[in-house]
Amino acid sequence: MSPEVHTLKWKRSRGINQIELIIVVVVIATFLGVASLSFHRAISNAGLRHLSDKIMADLEYARLQSRREQKEYRVRFRPESQKYDVLDSSETTLWTIAIDEGDYHADEMVVNLKNDNTVVFDRYGQSDEYGTIELRANDDSLMIEICQSGMIRQI
C-alpha cells in the first residue's frame, strides 16, 4: 500500500484585511506616541541645559571682570520674578535675563545661597556667597553650584 499524498493548495492573497490594517495602524500610533514624548522631554531638557550654561557663563563673566578690573561685580538672582541681573562695580545693571522666556527656559528657579540672593565677586574673583541654584522644568532639574573660591560648576 502506498501512503496517501496530500497536496496543499495555497490560496492567493488578494491584499490585506481590516484586522491587519488596524494592527498596523495601532503599532504605528503607539510608536509615534512614545517618540513624541521622548522628543518633547529632550527639547525641554536641552532648554534647561542651555539656561544653565547661560547662567554659568554670566557668573564666570562677573568673576573674570572683577579680577580684570580689580573691582566688585555682582550677579543678583530674583527667584520671585524668575530673573537675574548682572551688575558692574558701580551697581549698574549690565543685563537682565528672564528664565521663563525666550530660548532659555525653566519653570522655576530655586536659589539656595548662604546669605542672600546676590553673588558678589571681590577684586580677586572670589565670593563670600556660596550655595546652589536649581533650575526646574517639567520633571527635570539642573543644579549649579557656586563655591566660596569662586568656582562655578553644574552638578
PDB file of all heavy atoms in Angstrom, residues 58-76 85-92 94-95 118-127:
ATOM      1  N   ASP A  58      27.427  83.735  32.662  1.00  0.00           N
ATOM      2  CA  ASP A  58      27.273  85.070  33.246  1.00  0.00           C
ATOM      3  C   ASP A  58      27.992  85.178  34.595  1.00  0.00           C
ATOM      4  O   ASP A  58      28.604  86.205  34.902  1.00  0.00           O
ATOM      5  CB  ASP A  58      25.789  85.414  33.401  1.00  0.00           C
ATOM      6  CG  ASP A  58      25.111  85.676  32.061  1.00  0.00           C
ATOM      7  OD1 ASP A  58      25.815  85.920  31.058  1.00  0.00           O
ATOM      8  OD2 ASP A  58      23.865  85.609  32.017  1.00  0.00           O
ATOM      9  N   LEU A  59      27.927  84.129  35.399  1.00  0.00           N
ATOM     10  CA  LEU A  59      28.676  84.121  36.667  1.00  0.00           C
ATOM     11  C   LEU A  59      30.181  84.179  36.400  1.00  0.00           C
ATOM     12  O   LEU A  59      30.910  84.925  37.066  1.00  0.00           O
ATOM     13  CB  LEU A  59      28.326  82.872  37.479  1.00  0.00           C
ATOM     14  CG  LEU A  59      26.964  82.868  38.162  1.00  0.00           C
ATOM     15  CD1 LEU A  59      26.569  81.461  38.568  1.00  0.00           C
ATOM     16  CD2 LEU A  59      26.963  83.804  39.361  1.00  0.00           C
ATOM     17  N   GLU A  60      30.625  83.412  35.437  1.00  0.00           N
ATOM     18  CA  GLU A  60      32.053  83.404  35.094  1.00  0.00           C
ATOM     19  C   GLU A  60      32.491  84.762  34.545  1.00  0.00           C
ATOM     20  O   GLU A  60      33.583  85.244  34.840  1.00  0.00           O
ATOM     21  CB  GLU A  60      32.347  82.286  34.088  1.00  0.00           C
ATOM     22  CG  GLU A  60      33.809  82.073  33.809  1.00  0.00           C
ATOM     23  CD  GLU A  60      34.599  81.601  35.024  1.00  0.00           C
ATOM     24  OE1 GLU A  60      34.017  81.069  35.979  1.00  0.00           O
ATOM     25  OE2 GLU A  60      35.836  81.776  34.999  1.00  0.00           O
ATOM     26  N   TYR A  61      31.626  85.398  33.750  1.00  0.00           N
ATOM     27  CA  TYR A  61      31.921  86.734  33.232  1.00  0.00           C
ATOM     28  C   TYR A  61      32.138  87.702  34.400  1.00  0.00           C
ATOM     29  O   TYR A  61      33.117  88.460  34.421  1.00  0.00           O
ATOM     30  CB  TYR A  61      30.775  87.234  32.341  1.00  0.00           C
ATOM     31  CG  TYR A  61      30.905  88.688  31.978  1.00  0.00           C
ATOM     32  CD1 TYR A  61      31.692  89.074  30.902  1.00  0.00           C
ATOM     33  CD2 TYR A  61      30.262  89.674  32.724  1.00  0.00           C
ATOM     34  CE1 TYR A  61      31.833  90.419  30.580  1.00  0.00           C
ATOM     35  CE2 TYR A  61      30.389  91.009  32.404  1.00  0.00           C
ATOM     36  CZ  TYR A  61      31.180  91.382  31.337  1.00  0.00           C
ATOM     37  OH  TYR A  61      31.321  92.708  31.021  1.00  0.00           O
ATOM     38  N   ALA A  62      31.219  87.698  35.359  1.00  0.00           N
ATOM     39  CA  ALA A  62      31.333  88.605  36.508  1.00  0.00           C
ATOM     40  C   ALA A  62      32.600  88.309  37.308  1.00  0.00           C
ATOM     41  O   ALA A  62      33.300  89.228  37.748  1.00  0.00           O
ATOM     42  CB  ALA A  62      30.093  88.479  37.396  1.00  0.00           C
ATOM     43  N   ARG A  63      32.912  87.051  37.485  1.00  0.00           N
ATOM     44  CA  ARG A  63      34.123  86.672  38.229  1.00  0.00           C
ATOM     45  C   ARG A  63      35.380  87.163  37.515  1.00  0.00           C
ATOM     46  O   ARG A  63      36.265  87.763  38.127  1.00  0.00           O
ATOM     47  CB  ARG A  63      34.174  85.149  38.408  1.00  0.00           C
ATOM     48  CG  ARG A  63      35.295  84.675  39.315  1.00  0.00           C
ATOM     49  CD  ARG A  63      35.281  83.167  39.463  1.00  0.00           C
ATOM     50  NE  ARG A  63      35.861  82.503  38.318  1.00  0.00           N
ATOM     51  CZ  ARG A  63      37.171  82.378  38.095  1.00  0.00           C
ATOM     52  NH1 ARG A  63      38.033  82.894  38.942  1.00  0.00           N
ATOM     53  NH2 ARG A  63      37.619  81.753  37.039  1.00  0.00           N
ATOM     54  N   LEU A  64      35.452  86.934  36.212  1.00  0.00           N
ATOM     55  CA  LEU A  64      36.640  87.350  35.456  1.00  0.00           C
ATOM     56  C   LEU A  64      36.759  88.870  35.361  1.00  0.00           C
ATOM     57  O   LEU A  64      37.867  89.416  35.447  1.00  0.00           O
ATOM     58  CB  LEU A  64      36.621  86.725  34.059  1.00  0.00           C
ATOM     59  CG  LEU A  64      36.805  85.206  34.025  1.00  0.00           C
ATOM     60  CD1 LEU A  64      36.612  84.672  32.615  1.00  0.00           C
ATOM     61  CD2 LEU A  64      38.159  84.817  34.576  1.00  0.00           C
ATOM     62  N   GLN A  65      35.640  89.557  35.197  1.00  0.00           N
ATOM     63  CA  GLN A  65      35.685  91.019  35.127  1.00  0.00           C
ATOM     64  C   GLN A  65      36.135  91.610  36.467  1.00  0.00           C
ATOM     65  O   GLN A  65      36.862  92.605  36.486  1.00  0.00           O
ATOM     66  CB  GLN A  65      34.307  91.582  34.748  1.00  0.00           C
ATOM     67  CG  GLN A  65      33.980  91.445  33.279  1.00  0.00           C
ATOM     68  CD  GLN A  65      34.943  92.209  32.391  1.00  0.00           C
ATOM     69  OE1 GLN A  65      35.843  91.612  31.790  1.00  0.00           O
ATOM     70  NE2 GLN A  65      34.781  93.503  32.300  1.00  0.00           N
ATOM     71  N   SER A  66      35.720  90.989  37.559  1.00  0.00           N
ATOM     72  CA  SER A  66      36.141  91.500  38.874  1.00  0.00           C
ATOM     73  C   SER A  66      37.654  91.385  39.035  1.00  0.00           C
ATOM     74  O   SER A  66      38.291  92.278  39.590  1.00  0.00           O
ATOM     75  CB  SER A  66      35.412  90.766  39.996  1.00  0.00           C
ATOM     76  OG  SER A  66      35.843  89.424  40.070  1.00  0.00           O
ATOM     77  N   ARG A  67      38.216  90.311  38.540  1.00  0.00           N
ATOM     78  CA  ARG A  67      39.681  90.148  38.611  1.00  0.00           C
ATOM     79  C   ARG A  67      40.378  91.110  37.656  1.00  0.00           C
ATOM     80  O   ARG A  67      41.414  91.687  37.984  1.00  0.00           O
ATOM     81  CB  ARG A  67      40.062  88.710  38.269  1.00  0.00           C
ATOM     82  CG  ARG A  67      39.649  87.738  39.367  1.00  0.00           C
ATOM     83  CD  ARG A  67      40.065  86.354  39.066  1.00  0.00           C
ATOM     84  NE  ARG A  67      41.517  86.270  39.174  1.00  0.00           N
ATOM     85  CZ  ARG A  67      42.223  85.226  38.804  1.00  0.00           C
ATOM     86  NH1 ARG A  67      41.627  84.167  38.293  1.00  0.00           N
ATOM     87  NH2 ARG A  67      43.527  85.212  38.945  1.00  0.00           N
ATOM     88  N   ARG A  68      39.823  91.249  36.465  1.00  0.00           N
ATOM     89  CA  ARG A  68      40.454  92.084  35.442  1.00  0.00           C
ATOM     90  C   ARG A  68      40.472  93.557  35.852  1.00  0.00           C
ATOM     91  O   ARG A  68      41.466  94.252  35.708  1.00  0.00           O
ATOM     92  CB  ARG A  68      39.711  91.918  34.120  1.00  0.00           C
ATOM     93  CG  ARG A  68      40.342  92.634  32.957  1.00  0.00           C
ATOM     94  CD  ARG A  68      39.608  92.263  31.659  1.00  0.00           C
ATOM     95  NE  ARG A  68      39.708  93.355  30.733  1.00  0.00           N
ATOM     96  CZ  ARG A  68      38.809  94.306  30.574  1.00  0.00           C
ATOM     97  NH1 ARG A  68      37.695  94.290  31.255  1.00  0.00           N
ATOM     98  NH2 ARG A  68      38.996  95.277  29.713  1.00  0.00           N
ATOM     99  N   GLU A  69      39.329  94.030  36.378  1.00  0.00           N
ATOM    100  CA  GLU A  69      39.220  95.447  36.732  1.00  0.00           C
ATOM    101  C   GLU A  69      39.563  95.726  38.193  1.00  0.00           C
ATOM    102  O   GLU A  69      39.570  96.878  38.616  1.00  0.00           O
ATOM    103  CB  GLU A  69      37.794  95.946  36.441  1.00  0.00           C
ATOM    104  CG  GLU A  69      37.452  95.935  34.966  1.00  0.00           C
ATOM    105  CD  GLU A  69      36.055  96.466  34.693  1.00  0.00           C
ATOM    106  OE1 GLU A  69      35.425  97.041  35.615  1.00  0.00           O
ATOM    107  OE2 GLU A  69      35.603  96.307  33.556  1.00  0.00           O
ATOM    108  N   GLN A  70      39.794  94.654  38.979  1.00  0.00           N
ATOM    109  CA  GLN A  70      40.091  94.788  40.405  1.00  0.00           C
ATOM    110  C   GLN A  70      38.965  95.522  41.137  1.00  0.00           C
ATOM    111  O   GLN A  70      39.198  96.345  42.018  1.00  0.00           O
ATOM    112  CB  GLN A  70      41.433  95.524  40.608  1.00  0.00           C
ATOM    113  CG  GLN A  70      42.628  94.800  40.016  1.00  0.00           C
ATOM    114  CD  GLN A  70      42.983  93.575  40.832  1.00  0.00           C
ATOM    115  OE1 GLN A  70      43.290  93.684  42.005  1.00  0.00           O
ATOM    116  NE2 GLN A  70      42.927  92.409  40.222  1.00  0.00           N
ATOM    117  N   LYS A  71      37.705  95.200  40.740  1.00  0.00           N
ATOM    118  CA  LYS A  71      36.515  95.785  41.363  1.00  0.00           C
ATOM    119  C   LYS A  71      35.465  94.701  41.540  1.00  0.00           C
ATOM    120  O   LYS A  71      35.513  93.671  40.874  1.00  0.00           O
ATOM    121  CB  LYS A  71      35.930  96.892  40.474  1.00  0.00           C
ATOM    122  CG  LYS A  71      36.861  98.068  40.276  1.00  0.00           C
ATOM    123  CD  LYS A  71      36.233  99.081  39.359  1.00  0.00           C
ATOM    124  CE  LYS A  71      37.179 100.249  39.135  1.00  0.00           C
ATOM    125  NZ  LYS A  71      36.630 101.218  38.187  1.00  0.00           N
ATOM    126  N   GLU A  72      34.516  94.971  42.400  1.00  0.00           N
ATOM    127  CA  GLU A  72      33.447  94.001  42.624  1.00  0.00           C
ATOM    128  C   GLU A  72      32.480  93.945  41.441  1.00  0.00           C
ATOM    129  O   GLU A  72      32.139  94.979  40.873  1.00  0.00           O
ATOM    130  CB  GLU A  72      32.640  94.366  43.884  1.00  0.00           C
ATOM    131  CG  GLU A  72      33.363  94.122  45.166  1.00  0.00           C
ATOM    132  CD  GLU A  72      32.478  94.374  46.376  1.00  0.00           C
ATOM    133  OE1 GLU A  72      31.367  94.945  46.233  1.00  0.00           O
ATOM    134  OE2 GLU A  72      32.907  94.007  47.478  1.00  0.00           O
ATOM    135  N   TYR A  73      32.045  92.746  41.123  1.00  0.00           N
ATOM    136  CA  TYR A  73      30.967  92.512  40.164  1.00  0.00           C
ATOM    137  C   TYR A  73      29.949  91.622  40.855  1.00  0.00           C
ATOM    138  O   TYR A  73      30.294  90.809  41.720  1.00  0.00           O
ATOM    139  CB  TYR A  73      31.480  91.842  38.891  1.00  0.00           C
ATOM    140  CG  TYR A  73      31.875  92.827  37.815  1.00  0.00           C
ATOM    141  CD1 TYR A  73      33.014  93.608  37.948  1.00  0.00           C
ATOM    142  CD2 TYR A  73      31.094  92.989  36.686  1.00  0.00           C
ATOM    143  CE1 TYR A  73      33.365  94.526  36.985  1.00  0.00           C
ATOM    144  CE2 TYR A  73      31.445  93.906  35.704  1.00  0.00           C
ATOM    145  CZ  TYR A  73      32.574  94.671  35.855  1.00  0.00           C
ATOM    146  OH  TYR A  73      32.924  95.581  34.897  1.00  0.00           O
ATOM    147  N   ARG A  74      28.684  91.757  40.465  1.00  0.00           N
ATOM    148  CA  ARG A  74      27.615  91.028  41.137  1.00  0.00           C
ATOM    149  C   ARG A  74      26.692  90.336  40.128  1.00  0.00           C
ATOM    150  O   ARG A  74      26.489  90.836  39.035  1.00  0.00           O
ATOM    151  CB  ARG A  74      26.745  91.982  41.960  1.00  0.00           C
ATOM    152  CG  ARG A  74      27.495  92.758  42.974  1.00  0.00           C
ATOM    153  CD  ARG A  74      26.635  93.875  43.581  1.00  0.00           C
ATOM    154  NE  ARG A  74      27.447  94.709  44.431  1.00  0.00           N
ATOM    155  CZ  ARG A  74      27.638  94.504  45.711  1.00  0.00           C
ATOM    156  NH1 ARG A  74      27.059  93.491  46.303  1.00  0.00           N
ATOM    157  NH2 ARG A  74      28.397  95.305  46.425  1.00  0.00           N
ATOM    158  N   VAL A  75      26.130  89.239  40.592  1.00  0.00           N
ATOM    159  CA  VAL A  75      25.022  88.598  39.886  1.00  0.00           C
ATOM    160  C   VAL A  75      23.919  88.456  40.923  1.00  0.00           C
ATOM    161  O   VAL A  75      24.091  87.780  41.935  1.00  0.00           O
ATOM    162  CB  VAL A  75      25.414  87.227  39.295  1.00  0.00           C
ATOM    163  CG1 VAL A  75      24.222  86.604  38.583  1.00  0.00           C
ATOM    164  CG2 VAL A  75      26.599  87.368  38.350  1.00  0.00           C
ATOM    165  N   ARG A  76      22.804  89.152  40.673  1.00  0.00           N
ATOM    166  CA  ARG A  76      21.689  89.178  41.626  1.00  0.00           C
ATOM    167  C   ARG A  76      20.559  88.298  41.079  1.00  0.00           C
ATOM    168  O   ARG A  76      20.056  88.528  39.981  1.00  0.00           O
ATOM    169  CB  ARG A  76      21.190  90.599  41.819  1.00  0.00           C
ATOM    170  CG  ARG A  76      20.029  90.709  42.789  1.00  0.00           C
ATOM    171  CD  ARG A  76      19.559  92.132  42.977  1.00  0.00           C
ATOM    172  NE  ARG A  76      19.245  92.722  41.682  1.00  0.00           N
ATOM    173  CZ  ARG A  76      19.480  93.995  41.373  1.00  0.00           C
ATOM    174  NH1 ARG A  76      20.034  94.806  42.235  1.00  0.00           N
ATOM    175  NH2 ARG A  76      19.150  94.461  40.184  1.00  0.00           N
ATOM    176  N   ASP A  85      20.129  89.409  37.327  1.00  0.00           N
ATOM    177  CA  ASP A  85      20.805  90.575  36.760  1.00  0.00           C
ATOM    178  C   ASP A  85      22.307  90.427  36.934  1.00  0.00           C
ATOM    179  O   ASP A  85      22.769  89.894  37.941  1.00  0.00           O
ATOM    180  CB  ASP A  85      20.387  91.862  37.492  1.00  0.00           C
ATOM    181  CG  ASP A  85      18.889  92.018  37.596  1.00  0.00           C
ATOM    182  OD1 ASP A  85      18.232  92.016  36.553  1.00  0.00           O
ATOM    183  OD2 ASP A  85      18.386  92.140  38.738  1.00  0.00           O
ATOM    184  N   VAL A  86      23.044  90.933  35.970  1.00  0.00           N
ATOM    185  CA  VAL A  86      24.492  91.043  36.081  1.00  0.00           C
ATOM    186  C   VAL A  86      24.796  92.523  36.261  1.00  0.00           C
ATOM    187  O   VAL A  86      24.356  93.352  35.451  1.00  0.00           O
ATOM    188  CB  VAL A  86      25.202  90.477  34.827  1.00  0.00           C
ATOM    189  CG1 VAL A  86      26.706  90.656  34.942  1.00  0.00           C
ATOM    190  CG2 VAL A  86      24.837  89.011  34.627  1.00  0.00           C
ATOM    191  N   LEU A  87      25.512  92.851  37.350  1.00  0.00           N
ATOM    192  CA  LEU A  87      25.787  94.247  37.685  1.00  0.00           C
ATOM    193  C   LEU A  87      27.294  94.494  37.723  1.00  0.00           C
ATOM    194  O   LEU A  87      28.052  93.637  38.168  1.00  0.00           O
ATOM    195  CB  LEU A  87      25.187  94.590  39.052  1.00  0.00           C
ATOM    196  CG  LEU A  87      23.682  94.407  39.164  1.00  0.00           C
ATOM    197  CD1 LEU A  87      23.357  93.122  39.886  1.00  0.00           C
ATOM    198  CD2 LEU A  87      23.078  95.579  39.876  1.00  0.00           C
ATOM    199  N   ASP A  88      27.683  95.673  37.291  1.00  0.00           N
ATOM    200  CA  ASP A  88      29.108  96.013  37.334  1.00  0.00           C
ATOM    201  C   ASP A  88      29.459  96.613  38.689  1.00  0.00           C
ATOM    202  O   ASP A  88      28.643  96.648  39.602  1.00  0.00           O
ATOM    203  CB  ASP A  88      29.487  96.925  36.171  1.00  0.00           C
ATOM    204  CG  ASP A  88      28.854  98.304  36.248  1.00  0.00           C
ATOM    205  OD1 ASP A  88      28.220  98.633  37.270  1.00  0.00           O
ATOM    206  OD2 ASP A  88      28.986  99.058  35.271  1.00  0.00           O
ATOM    207  N   SER A  89      30.683  97.099  38.803  1.00  0.00           N
ATOM    208  CA  SER A  89      31.184  97.586  40.085  1.00  0.00           C
ATOM    209  C   SER A  89      30.436  98.816  40.594  1.00  0.00           C
ATOM    210  O   SER A  89      30.417  99.082  41.784  1.00  0.00           O
ATOM    211  CB  SER A  89      32.679  97.891  39.975  1.00  0.00           C
ATOM    212  OG  SER A  89      32.901  98.804  38.925  1.00  0.00           O
ATOM    213  N   SER A  90      29.798  99.568  39.713  1.00  0.00           N
ATOM    214  CA  SER A  90      29.044 100.752  40.153  1.00  0.00           C
ATOM    215  C   SER A  90      27.560 100.418  40.359  1.00  0.00           C
ATOM    216  O   SER A  90      26.737 101.328  40.438  1.00  0.00           O
ATOM    217  CB  SER A  90      29.192 101.876  39.125  1.00  0.00           C
ATOM    218  OG  SER A  90      28.649 101.469  37.883  1.00  0.00           O
ATOM    219  N   GLU A  91      27.235  99.112  40.444  1.00  0.00           N
ATOM    220  CA  GLU A  91      25.864  98.627  40.654  1.00  0.00           C
ATOM    221  C   GLU A  91      24.944  98.930  39.476  1.00  0.00           C
ATOM    222  O   GLU A  91      23.718  98.907  39.612  1.00  0.00           O
ATOM    223  CB  GLU A  91      25.261  99.207  41.940  1.00  0.00           C
ATOM    224  CG  GLU A  91      25.992  98.845  43.195  1.00  0.00           C
ATOM    225  CD  GLU A  91      25.477  97.564  43.820  1.00  0.00           C
ATOM    226  OE1 GLU A  91      24.340  97.176  43.557  1.00  0.00           O
ATOM    227  OE2 GLU A  91      26.243  96.956  44.583  1.00  0.00           O
ATOM    228  N   THR A  92      25.523  99.195  38.316  1.00  0.00           N
ATOM    229  CA  THR A  92      24.732  99.404  37.114  1.00  0.00           C
ATOM    230  C   THR A  92      24.392  98.040  36.515  1.00  0.00           C
ATOM    231  O   THR A  92      25.270  97.189  36.356  1.00  0.00           O
ATOM    232  CB  THR A  92      25.532 100.227  36.064  1.00  0.00           C
ATOM    233  OG1 THR A  92      25.894 101.467  36.659  1.00  0.00           O
ATOM    234  CG2 THR A  92      24.724 100.465  34.814  1.00  0.00           C
ATOM    235  N   LEU A  94      24.053  95.508  33.896  1.00  0.00           N
ATOM    236  CA  LEU A  94      24.568  95.316  32.544  1.00  0.00           C
ATOM    237  C   LEU A  94      23.542  94.612  31.665  1.00  0.00           C
ATOM    238  O   LEU A  94      23.359  94.958  30.519  1.00  0.00           O
ATOM    239  CB  LEU A  94      25.871  94.519  32.578  1.00  0.00           C
ATOM    240  CG  LEU A  94      27.010  95.158  33.374  1.00  0.00           C
ATOM    241  CD1 LEU A  94      28.200  94.216  33.456  1.00  0.00           C
ATOM    242  CD2 LEU A  94      27.413  96.484  32.748  1.00  0.00           C
ATOM    243  N   TRP A  95      22.882  93.589  32.224  1.00  0.00           N
ATOM    244  CA  TRP A  95      21.792  92.906  31.527  1.00  0.00           C
ATOM    245  C   TRP A  95      20.960  92.114  32.520  1.00  0.00           C
ATOM    246  O   TRP A  95      21.403  91.804  33.614  1.00  0.00           O
ATOM    247  CB  TRP A  95      22.278  92.025  30.383  1.00  0.00           C
ATOM    248  CG  TRP A  95      23.198  90.902  30.760  1.00  0.00           C
ATOM    249  CD1 TRP A  95      22.855  89.663  31.241  1.00  0.00           C
ATOM    250  CD2 TRP A  95      24.619  90.897  30.667  1.00  0.00           C
ATOM    251  NE1 TRP A  95      23.969  88.913  31.456  1.00  0.00           N
ATOM    252  CE2 TRP A  95      25.069  89.635  31.114  1.00  0.00           C
ATOM    253  CE3 TRP A  95      25.567  91.831  30.263  1.00  0.00           C
ATOM    254  CZ2 TRP A  95      26.414  89.288  31.160  1.00  0.00           C
ATOM    255  CZ3 TRP A  95      26.902  91.480  30.308  1.00  0.00           C
ATOM    256  CH2 TRP A  95      27.305  90.235  30.750  1.00  0.00           C
ATOM    257  N   THR A 118      22.420  87.407  46.103  1.00  0.00           N
ATOM    258  CA  THR A 118      23.383  88.121  45.267  1.00  0.00           C
ATOM    259  C   THR A 118      24.770  87.518  45.460  1.00  0.00           C
ATOM    260  O   THR A 118      25.250  87.405  46.579  1.00  0.00           O
ATOM    261  CB  THR A 118      23.421  89.621  45.617  1.00  0.00           C
ATOM    262  OG1 THR A 118      22.108  90.155  45.455  1.00  0.00           O
ATOM    263  CG2 THR A 118      24.382  90.365  44.727  1.00  0.00           C
ATOM    264  N   VAL A 119      25.390  87.163  44.347  1.00  0.00           N
ATOM    265  CA  VAL A 119      26.765  86.653  44.376  1.00  0.00           C
ATOM    266  C   VAL A 119      27.671  87.834  44.062  1.00  0.00           C
ATOM    267  O   VAL A 119      27.570  88.431  42.993  1.00  0.00           O
ATOM    268  CB  VAL A 119      26.980  85.520  43.348  1.00  0.00           C
ATOM    269  CG1 VAL A 119      28.412  85.029  43.385  1.00  0.00           C
ATOM    270  CG2 VAL A 119      26.011  84.381  43.610  1.00  0.00           C
ATOM    271  N   VAL A 120      28.530  88.191  45.015  1.00  0.00           N
ATOM    272  CA  VAL A 120      29.455  89.306  44.849  1.00  0.00           C
ATOM    273  C   VAL A 120      30.849  88.724  44.692  1.00  0.00           C
ATOM    274  O   VAL A 120      31.338  88.010  45.563  1.00  0.00           O
ATOM    275  CB  VAL A 120      29.416  90.257  46.069  1.00  0.00           C
ATOM    276  CG1 VAL A 120      30.388  91.414  45.870  1.00  0.00           C
ATOM    277  CG2 VAL A 120      28.008  90.757  46.316  1.00  0.00           C
ATOM    278  N   PHE A 121      31.481  89.037  43.561  1.00  0.00           N
ATOM    279  CA  PHE A 121      32.865  88.620  43.341  1.00  0.00           C
ATOM    280  C   PHE A 121      33.771  89.792  43.701  1.00  0.00           C
ATOM    281  O   PHE A 121      33.613  90.897  43.177  1.00  0.00           O
ATOM    282  CB  PHE A 121      33.085  88.216  41.877  1.00  0.00           C
ATOM    283  CG  PHE A 121      32.341  86.962  41.500  1.00  0.00           C
ATOM    284  CD1 PHE A 121      31.161  87.026  40.787  1.00  0.00           C
ATOM    285  CD2 PHE A 121      32.825  85.716  41.873  1.00  0.00           C
ATOM    286  CE1 PHE A 121      30.478  85.877  40.438  1.00  0.00           C
ATOM    287  CE2 PHE A 121      32.144  84.562  41.530  1.00  0.00           C
ATOM    288  CZ  PHE A 121      30.961  84.640  40.810  1.00  0.00           C
ATOM    289  N   ASP A 122      34.715  89.549  44.614  1.00  0.00           N
ATOM    290  CA  ASP A 122      35.638  90.611  45.011  1.00  0.00           C
ATOM    291  C   ASP A 122      36.699  90.813  43.919  1.00  0.00           C
ATOM    292  O   ASP A 122      36.666  90.170  42.879  1.00  0.00           O
ATOM    293  CB  ASP A 122      36.262  90.312  46.378  1.00  0.00           C
ATOM    294  CG  ASP A 122      37.146  89.065  46.378  1.00  0.00           C
ATOM    295  OD1 ASP A 122      37.541  88.583  45.299  1.00  0.00           O
ATOM    296  OD2 ASP A 122      37.441  88.566  47.487  1.00  0.00           O
ATOM    297  N   ARG A 123      37.642  91.701  44.186  1.00  0.00           N
ATOM    298  CA  ARG A 123      38.637  92.026  43.161  1.00  0.00           C
ATOM    299  C   ARG A 123      39.565  90.877  42.834  1.00  0.00           C
ATOM    300  O   ARG A 123      40.313  90.934  41.869  1.00  0.00           O
ATOM    301  CB  ARG A 123      39.428  93.261  43.565  1.00  0.00           C
ATOM    302  CG  ARG A 123      40.220  93.099  44.821  1.00  0.00           C
ATOM    303  CD  ARG A 123      40.789  94.421  45.252  1.00  0.00           C
ATOM    304  NE  ARG A 123      41.723  94.190  46.337  1.00  0.00           N
ATOM    305  CZ  ARG A 123      42.914  94.733  46.408  1.00  0.00           C
ATOM    306  NH1 ARG A 123      43.313  95.552  45.466  1.00  0.00           N
ATOM    307  NH2 ARG A 123      43.692  94.477  47.416  1.00  0.00           N
ATOM    308  N   TYR A 124      39.510  89.789  43.617  1.00  0.00           N
ATOM    309  CA  TYR A 124      40.314  88.600  43.345  1.00  0.00           C
ATOM    310  C   TYR A 124      39.501  87.504  42.649  1.00  0.00           C
ATOM    311  O   TYR A 124      39.992  86.415  42.415  1.00  0.00           O
ATOM    312  CB  TYR A 124      40.914  88.048  44.642  1.00  0.00           C
ATOM    313  CG  TYR A 124      41.754  89.056  45.369  1.00  0.00           C
ATOM    314  CD1 TYR A 124      41.309  89.624  46.559  1.00  0.00           C
ATOM    315  CD2 TYR A 124      42.982  89.458  44.861  1.00  0.00           C
ATOM    316  CE1 TYR A 124      42.072  90.564  47.227  1.00  0.00           C
ATOM    317  CE2 TYR A 124      43.752  90.401  45.527  1.00  0.00           C
ATOM    318  CZ  TYR A 124      43.294  90.948  46.697  1.00  0.00           C
ATOM    319  OH  TYR A 124      44.054  91.884  47.356  1.00  0.00           O
ATOM    320  N   GLY A 125      38.225  87.791  42.379  1.00  0.00           N
ATOM    321  CA  GLY A 125      37.367  86.810  41.728  1.00  0.00           C
ATOM    322  C   GLY A 125      36.789  85.785  42.685  1.00  0.00           C
ATOM    323  O   GLY A 125      36.256  84.775  42.259  1.00  0.00           O
ATOM    324  N   GLN A 126      36.887  86.064  43.978  1.00  0.00           N
ATOM    325  CA  GLN A 126      36.334  85.146  44.972  1.00  0.00           C
ATOM    326  C   GLN A 126      35.033  85.717  45.515  1.00  0.00           C
ATOM    327  O   GLN A 126      34.771  86.909  45.400  1.00  0.00           O
ATOM    328  CB  GLN A 126      37.341  84.924  46.100  1.00  0.00           C
ATOM    329  CG  GLN A 126      38.597  84.235  45.620  1.00  0.00           C
ATOM    330  CD  GLN A 126      39.585  84.010  46.740  1.00  0.00           C
ATOM    331  OE1 GLN A 126      39.539  84.651  47.774  1.00  0.00           O
ATOM    332  NE2 GLN A 126      40.492  83.068  46.527  1.00  0.00           N
ATOM    333  N   SER A 127      34.245  84.833  46.114  1.00  0.00           N
ATOM    334  CA  SER A 127      32.950  85.257  46.630  1.00  0.00           C
ATOM    335  C   SER A 127      32.728  84.721  48.034  1.00  0.00           C
ATOM    336  O   SER A 127      33.105  83.599  48.345  1.00  0.00           O
ATOM    337  CB  SER A 127      31.840  84.743  45.709  1.00  0.00           C
ATOM    338  OG  SER A 127      30.586  85.073  46.233  1.00  0.00           O
TER     339      SER A 127
END
